[in-house]
Amino acid sequence: MIKETVVDGFGNAPHRSLYHALGLTQEELSRPLIGIVSSYNEIVPGHMNLDKITEAVKLGVAMAGGTPIVFPAIAVCDGIAMGHTGMKYSLVTRDLIADSTESMVLAHGFDGLVMIPNCDKNVPGLLMAAARLNIPSIFVSGGPMLAGRVDGRKTSLSSMFEAVGSYSAGKIDADKLLEYELKTCPTCGSCSGMYTANSMNCLTEVLGMGLKGNGTIPAVYSARIELAKHAGMQIMELVRKNIRPLDIMTADAFHNALTADMALGCSTNSMLHLPAIANECGVDFSLDLANEISEVTPNLCHLAPAGRTYMEDLNEAGGVYAVLKELTKKGLIKTDALTCTGKTVGENIADCDNLDPETIRPIDNPYTATGGIAVLRGNLAPDGCVVKRAAVAPEMLVHEGPARVFNSEEETIKVIYEGGIKAGDVVVIRYEGPAGGPGMREMLSPTSAIAGMGLDKEVALITDGRFSGATRGASIGHVSPEAANGGMIAYVKDGDIISINIPEYKIELKVSDEEIERRKAEMPILKKQVSGYLKRYASMVSSADKGAIINKK
């Protein structure tokens, strides 16, 4: 127990005096100290309810014989940060969250941890910290937002961004845009589609680090408070049995996570976060594994933005466990993997059934026979790039067209809104990678504008940046190597023909080797002037295919 080195024994009397200064009693100090890592704040809609979740967790811990102590983790709202400099500070917080949590835990002597994240970078950041610290840990998220409704149809944040594109194209008026603004995000919680936050909260269940319903019970449901109490109680069981994150997050657990990812149609950001978490766990993770698993894993869910079902529908259909149960029918899940329940995956899902075959397709009637994410390779991306093929229109799975090249998101969105992108174009946005951005911004504004203008079935977008889980269409991100590191994407010119073949996992720049060599000699790599944390981050971060991790050399 870590507490033994900080709290117990006569030599730690000065430390105990400071715990008493906090109002802790002798009785409380004699119990296991449980750190409650709360991402509560008043700026992220997915986090505004985490004070209630935190109080419920504390009650659960105390009921089960532990002493709960809360400390914070930061959070950036990707939606609010979208489309401006703020997005440079989204992905980079993942490592700040992991590092600060490590610092707090090792400085203060906790015996176990309950992690309370919800939105995009908090979940992977805290999973990375849990693996690094390897003391008993459990996760309970704040839960997803309920879908909005406009004209009798459910909506989500992607609907709002696309409405901006529709307005700029003259397809809707200002009154309709305002209606979307007021009705799209009706409650607290992580945005209501299968975006990054919900993807990662669902995958936390699959990895075995969260209880049933962690990814799907809506934020405003009282069942979410009950789940938090149970998480608080369950951490005490994990402490007593000394079940640790590295006992749970094994190679089998990551196999299950990738498999569920393909079935659920998760955000492409999972292809950044799973490698980063696996790295902390000491588990080998290659992007090639994604295609291997995708080839045998059917896509069972088309949640928004891929379709018209939402997280609340997945919850009613039986949630993540029902998806796992479907996947076991073809032997695709490692059912012996241990979980935070103290039981195996197989034991957890034994009594779980698919309650809605429209939301979760039966495994013998999938949307597609292959998974929701694909990794493409070719001369444009020799180390790989990623696309959410479950959200790509069938007619765009194979596409060839002329490049329209931009060196930033801002340049791109200006031209899109001016009507400068035509059917058949392949929009290329470079110098937005982990080091080149820096920070690897999400390109939701350009993709949503294209979709809102009705061009998502005719225009592809390629970037060394990344995409929000709210993105749909032939949006290909994480191009590696990135432009700032001399990747081929740095040498693309307007009019170059780019060939995309998602079923065959190929992406090609149709320019001769001789011409490419000439361009490398003539076209300098752009260097951005940055300062502060971004400068330090840019100097240390790995390429996207390695998970954009901070290099430890």
Side-chain angles (χ1 to χ4, degrees):
M1 295 172 66
I2 294 178
K3 183 165 72 71
E4 292 174 352
T5 64
V6 180
V7 177
D8 298 342
F10 75 92
N12 285 325
H15 305 71
R16 289 196 297 275
S17 71
L18 293 170
Y19 283 108
H20 288 306
L22 293 168
L24 294 178
T25 65
Q26 296 280 17
E27 292 83 0
E28 287 174 304
L29 290 176
S30 70
R31 300 170 182 169
L33 299 184
I34 306 301
I36 314 297
V37 189
S38 174
S39 299
Y40 168 75
N41 63 46
E42 294 183 341
I43 188 62
V44 184
H47 290 228
M48 63 181 286
N49 66 320
L50 295 191
D51 55 341
K52 305 293 189 298
I53 301 297
T54 300
E55 289 303 313
V57 168
K58 288 174 64 179
L59 183 57
V61 168
M63 288 166 61
T67 298
I69 302 176
V70 178
F71 65 89
I74 62 169
V76 165
C77 176
D78 277 21
I80 295 174
M82 194 70 64
H84 57 90
T85 299
M87 180 47 67
K88 294 178 184 286
Y89 288 90
S90 171
L91 179 61
V92 303
T93 65
R94 187 186 69 184
D95 295 275
L96 286 175
I97 291 161
D99 293 348
S100 61
T101 302
E102 173 192 355
S103 302
M104 288 294 290
V105 171
L106 294 181
H108 298 106
F110 295 105
D111 298 303
L113 297 169
V114 182
M115 308 291 202
I116 308 178
N118 207 29
C119 292
D120 296 45
K121 308 311 165 301
N122 297 83
V123 188
L126 290 176
L127 283 166
M128 290 163 68
R132 192 183 301 173
L133 292 161
N134 199 32
I135 63 173
S137 304
I138 195 169
F139 280 64
V140 56
S141 76
M145 184 184 292
L146 293 179
R149 281 174 172 76
V150 175
D151 297 330
R153 301 176 73 178
K154 289 183 179 180
T155 58
S156 59
L157 185 63
S158 53
S159 312
M160 184 69 251
F161 275 90
E162 290 178 17
V164 174
S166 296
Y167 175 77
S168 68
K171 294 188 174 185
I172 61 173
D173 61 19
D175 289 340
K176 180 58 68 174
L177 183 65
L178 178 61
E179 183 181 359
Y180 272 95
E181 179 182 332
L182 297 176
K183 294 181 177 180
T184 292
C185 299
T187 71
C188 64
S190 48
C191 296
S192 56
M194 187 53 82
Y195 308 152
T196 306
N198 293 325
S199 294
M200 293 310 302
N201 283 321
C202 287
L203 294 182
T204 299
E205 275 192 64
V206 183
L207 283 169
M209 294 297 291
L211 299 175
K212 179 185 179 185
N214 177 69
T216 59
I217 297 172
V220 295
Y221 283 14
S222 297
R224 176 63 55 179
I225 301 296
E226 295 180 35
L227 180 72
K229 292 176 183 175
H230 284 134
M233 289 185 271
Q234 186 59 25
I235 188 58
M236 296 306 300
E237 192 67 16
L238 295 175
V239 169
R240 292 185 188 103
K241 293 181 178 178
N242 196 28
I243 297 175
R244 302 177 180 228
L246 297 187
D247 300 323
I248 295 171
M249 290 193 287
T250 62
D252 282 354
F254 282 96
H255 177 279
N256 288 344
L258 262 180
T259 302
D261 189 328
M262 298 302 169
L264 287 164
C266 290
S267 164
T268 52
N269 281 312
S270 65
M271 292 295 103
L272 285 174
H273 300 322
L274 288 176
I277 300 162
N279 176 68
E280 296 286 352
C281 294
V283 173
D284 290 334
F285 190 106
S286 166
L287 287 185
D288 292 328
L289 182 61
N291 284 348
E292 292 172 19
I293 289 178
S294 181
E295 278 297 308
V296 297
T297 305
N299 177 229
L300 305 181
C301 300
H302 264 191
L303 296 154
R308 297 202 171 276
T309 51
Y310 295 79
M311 295 305 297
E312 62 201 65
D313 302 310
L314 179 60
N315 187 62
E316 294 300 318
V320 173
Y321 278 20
V323 174
L324 295 180
K325 185 68 171 291
E326 285 291 338
L327 293 169
T328 62
K329 294 175 182 178
K330 287 194 174 181
L332 298 174
I333 293 295
K334 308 284 188 182
T335 55
D336 291 335
L338 181 66
T339 73
C340 66
T341 65
K343 300 177 181 178
T344 65
V345 171
E347 291 173 311
N348 287 344
I349 66 175
D351 298 324
C352 297
D353 295 312
N354 181 357
L355 304 178
D356 182 0
E358 294 302 314
T359 298
I360 305 172
R361 288 279 186 92
I363 200 159
D364 57 0
N365 182 35
Y367 283 101
T368 58
T370 52
I373 287 178
V375 176
L376 314 183
R377 292 184 189 270
N379 68 344
L380 189 57
D383 293 338
C385 55
V386 180
V387 62
K388 186 174 181 176
R389 65 174 160 191
V392 178
E395 53 266 50
M396 287 298 293
L397 290 171
V398 177
H399 180 75
E400 187 170 291
R404 293 295 312 280
V405 184
F406 304 93
N407 289 334
S408 72
E409 179 187 14
E410 287 83 358
E411 291 179 25
T412 314
I413 197 71
K414 181 176 184 293
V415 172
I416 292 173
Y417 284 150
E418 290 172 351
I421 301 301
K422 307 301 181 186
D425 285 347
V426 178
V427 176
V428 176
I429 310 177
R430 61 193 177 195
Y431 295 104
E432 291 286 4
M440 204 177 182
R441 290 192 290 182
E442 291 182 342
M443 303 290 115
L444 179 58
S445 293
T447 58
S448 297
I450 287 169
M453 292 174 175
L455 292 172
D456 56 297
K457 296 179 181 179
E458 299 173 291
V459 171
L461 195 152
I462 298 171
T463 182
D464 53 8
R466 61 195 178 95
F467 294 108
S468 165
T471 292
R472 62 186 175 95
S475 303
I476 300 165
H478 309 193
V479 169
S480 300
E482 62 175 290
N485 290 337
M488 187 72 74
I489 192 171
Y491 304 107
V492 182
K493 290 186 174 182
D494 278 343
D496 287 349
I497 300 301
I498 294 176
S499 172
I500 300 162
N501 191 320
I502 295 173
E504 294 186 7
Y505 307 112
K506 293 179 180 178
I507 185 166
E508 295 288 335
L509 174 65
K510 293 198 164 183
V511 174
S512 71
D513 293 341
E514 294 78 13
E515 172 62 17
I516 289 169
E517 290 306 313
R518 278 195 294 272
R519 293 182 187 182
K520 287 182 177 180
E522 297 168 359
M523 297 173 64
I525 298 297
L526 299 184
K527 300 294 183 183
K528 296 180 182 177
Q529 296 299 313
V530 293
S531 59
Y533 178 51
L534 288 182
K535 183 176 181 179
R536 189 164 77 251
Y537 180 87
S539 71
M540 297 186 296
V541 69
S542 78
S543 57
D545 62 293
K546 300 294 191 297
I549 61 172
I550 296 298
N551 287 327
K552 300 174 182 176
K553 295 182 180 178

